[in-house]
Amino acid sequence: MTLSAADLTAVWLTIKLAAIVTALLLVIGTPIAWWLARTRSPLKGPVGAVVALPLVLPPTVLGFYLLLAMGPHGPIGRMTQAMGLGTLPFTFWGLVVASTFYSLPFVVQPLQNAFEAFGDRPLEAAATLGAAPLDAFFSVALPLARPGYLTAAVLGFAHTVGEFGVVLMIGGDIPGQTRVVSVLIYDHVEATEYAQANWLAASMVVFSFLVLLVMYVWAPNKKRGG
Amino acid sequence: MKTLNTKTLKLFALIGLSLAGGLAQAAEVQVAVAANFAEPMKVIAAKFEQATGDKVAVSLGSTGKFYAQIKNGAPYDVMLSADAETPAKLVREGYAVPGSQFTYSIGKLVLWSPKPRYVDDGGAVLKKGDFRHLAVANPKLAPYGEAAMETLAKLDVLSQIKPKLVQGENIAQTYQFVASGNADLGFVALSQVYEDGKIMSGSAWIVPAALYSPIRQDAVLLAKGKGNPAAAALLDFLKGPQARAVIRDYGYAL
């Protein structure tokens, strides 16, 4: 016995979801992490805490609030309906939005650490040499923060793949739309299809191990080199 | 110790004694209860505790999850399943006591929407199909989901409605999808929207029993609860008139 067609659909969907969410998070996370690393504003604490909330909240809490907020009577739902997009729960893009919230700290925090690690010196040097702030960011800060970006991308991707509670709450278990691997494993277990559950679950274990292996073996060397 | 006078000491001794006495008398029974039976079980457990002094610890979940957990050593004494098949399987595999299985209720399926006057008595709204999402429980996992699919097939609307289906992993989540307005309507358990002999809110169609196979819900004494008198007492209580009245109040057949 191997993976069935339904299993493969779920695997592909999960990879697609994680890839889109990771790309989005790197774009959204960069300015947030940059601001958190550089600012002396009293808002640094509160903003940092809000970003870190998904680390401590149970996914069911986040999923429940997102279901209400994105529903037809919630603030996000009203907005998306007014824009003619309908409501987000039970859609692939609903999962993208939810996962972006959920995985935010896993991307912002490594980036923030990376930006904080090299301090103000390189940017001051760039400014002295006549680089505009944006130029200095792209030609000095970004290359210096590369190990941070690697960690952020790997963690963001892996955490989205491993997400379960939020997807269960707002997904509606639709094949090819919202039925990701973690939910399908749950379905298999609930239906007492243990052999199928085993195949998928073992694949997840191998995948997670490889991801962490890459991070632990490769990323620190990069950092030392940089 | 000087600060403690004899009166206080006596009081502590009394509390200690009564606690020990309480422990010796009141037994506790741990029950795994299918999600659709959550509401009536709350009432029945309270009545049972009042009548016997025993304690009931209720765990809510789906039948499939309980099956896996019981096979792997979950500490439940009694299971109130959402089907008849799982208790039978547990008996066959030696995880439940042979001869203890009985039907405690027969579930009724209802098509429900929180919107008033939306669901008509007869289910014509299904043929009209002017909705975005219809919620059902996962038919592979929940008997109410299976009954919903059977009903849609019998009404000959399954293929046209299929793209609009969203699935809850159990009947409680299915209800949540509809109650929050994310699905316009859904097939849920009558017990979830019914109290004191009437639908509590919104609009509903109680699906005629001819459209789906009966949802027989069985209880069983698990191997772990074999020597527990409170477990046996709870099962007896479920068969008694007090519990049966509650079960009927929530819209189950018996």
Side-chain angles (χ1 to χ4, degrees):
Chain A
M1 219 197 94
T2 50
L3 299 178
S4 69
D7 292 343
L8 289 175
T9 306
V11 168
W12 169 235
L13 181 73
T14 308
I15 293 172
K16 193 170 95 179
L17 175 69
I20 292 174
V21 168
T22 308
L24 266 176
L25 276 175
L26 289 177
V27 174
I28 299 168
T30 298
I32 299 176
W34 183 256
W35 184 81
L36 282 171
R38 302 276 138 207
T39 188
R40 288 190 184 89
S41 155
L43 284 176
K44 179 178 173 162
V47 172
V50 167
V51 168
L53 263 183
L55 286 176
V56 289
L57 282 182
T60 39
V61 170
L62 204 60
F64 178 59
Y65 280 146
L66 282 172
L67 183 69
L68 295 185
M70 304 196 317
H73 314 300
I76 300 177
R78 289 214 179 121
M79 209 173 73
T80 52
Q81 279 173 312
M83 287 157 71
L85 300 170
T87 50
L88 285 170
F90 318 131
T91 64
F92 176 74
W93 291 102
L95 289 198
V96 171
V97 172
S99 308
T100 304
F101 277 111
Y102 187 50
S103 296
L104 189 64
F106 290 84
V107 170
V108 168
Q109 291 188 348
L111 293 184
Q112 186 186 343
N113 289 341
F115 291 147
E116 277 168 353
F118 59 72
D120 294 331
R121 272 274 190 78
L123 290 171
E124 283 166 8
T128 325
L129 294 172
L134 213 60
D135 182 22
F137 175 78
F138 280 109
S139 49
V140 178
L142 265 192
L144 279 176
R146 236 172 62 192
Y149 272 91
L150 177 73
T151 311
V154 170
L155 277 182
F157 190 90
H159 190 250
T160 308
V161 169
E163 173 182 346
F164 170 67
V166 174
V167 179
L168 191 72
M169 295 292 280
I170 66 161
D173 200 11
I174 303 166
Q177 284 275 329
T178 60
R179 183 183 287 167
V180 296
V181 171
S182 57
V183 171
L184 187 58
I185 292 176
Y186 185 71
D187 281 358
H188 282 322
V189 173
E190 292 268 297
T192 67
E193 297 162 349
Y194 295 154
Q196 270 166 288
N198 228 334
W199 267 101
L200 271 180
S203 320
M204 282 284 257
V205 172
V206 171
F207 167 79
S208 309
F209 175 73
L210 288 178
V211 163
L212 292 175
L213 193 69
V214 165
M215 274 189 42
Y216 280 98
V217 172
W218 198 43
N221 293 343
K222 276 273 179 194
K223 217 176 263 174
R224 257 174 253 136
Chain B
M1 288 304 272
K2 265 201 183 130
T3 49
L4 284 178
N5 57 31
T6 38
K7 236 184 188 170
T8 330
L9 278 176
K10 264 186 194 155
L11 189 68
F12 275 122
L14 208 68
I15 292 171
L17 273 178
S18 56
L19 274 180
L23 282 177
Q25 270 174 17
E28 193 184 273
V29 50
Q30 295 200 23
V31 202
V33 180
N36 76 79
F37 202 66
E39 288 300 316
M41 190 59 204
K42 235 190 271 169
V43 182
I44 291 171
K47 284 185 193 271
F48 173 75
E49 285 179 349
Q50 218 172 32
T52 61
D54 293 338
K55 281 257 158 287
V56 182
V58 171
S59 304
L60 292 174
S62 70
T63 300
K65 185 157 55 230
F66 283 137
Y67 173 75
Q69 291 176 339
I70 289 164
K71 278 185 73 162
N72 289 288
Y76 305 121
D77 300 300
V78 169
M79 181 190 194
L80 302 191
S81 177
D83 63 358
E85 207 178 295
T86 306
K89 209 154 62 174
L90 286 168
V91 169
R92 265 203 315 277
E93 292 169 353
Y95 297 100
V97 179
S100 68
Q101 185 179 351
F102 70 97
T103 303
Y104 65 92
S105 71
I106 293 167
K108 281 192 200 161
L109 186 68
V110 62
L111 180 65
W112 178 72
S113 167
K115 288 182 254 178
R117 293 182 302 280
Y118 182 68
V119 176
D120 55 291
D121 198 30
V125 62
L126 292 172
K127 295 224 165 87
K128 241 194 302 171
D130 62 341
F131 45 83
R132 257 189 92 208
H133 295 298
L134 171 81
V136 296
N138 187 329
K140 253 169 65 185
L141 311 180
Y144 285 93
E146 216 181 312
M149 299 306 264
E150 254 182 274
T151 303
L152 289 174
K154 277 247 174 77
L155 292 173
D156 211 20
V157 290
L158 185 55
S159 53
Q160 82 186 61
I161 283 181
K162 208 156 201 180
K164 297 176 174 178
L165 286 185
V166 293
Q167 295 185 1
E169 61 109 1
N170 61 37
I171 201 67
Q173 203 195 13
T174 310
Y175 172 80
Q176 186 190 83
F177 284 161
V178 186
S180 65
N182 281 297
D184 309 84
L185 72 175
F187 282 102
V188 297
L190 182 58
S191 56
Q192 293 174 304
V193 297
Y194 196 79
E195 217 173 71
D196 300 327
K198 59 176 197 301
I199 302 284
M200 285 183 289
S201 67
S203 53
W205 172 47
I206 299 176
V207 181
L211 290 178
Y212 60 94
S213 333
I215 305 170
R216 241 184 76 196
Q217 306 195 174
D218 280 12
V220 74
L221 179 64
L222 298 171
K224 194 230 144 203
K226 208 174 171 182
N228 184 346
L234 179 67
L235 286 172
D236 280 342
F237 192 82
L238 265 175
K239 296 177 195 165
Q242 261 187 302
R244 290 172 78 96
V246 174
I247 293 171
R248 265 200 212 95
D249 272 353
Y250 276 93
Y252 291 93
L254 267 173

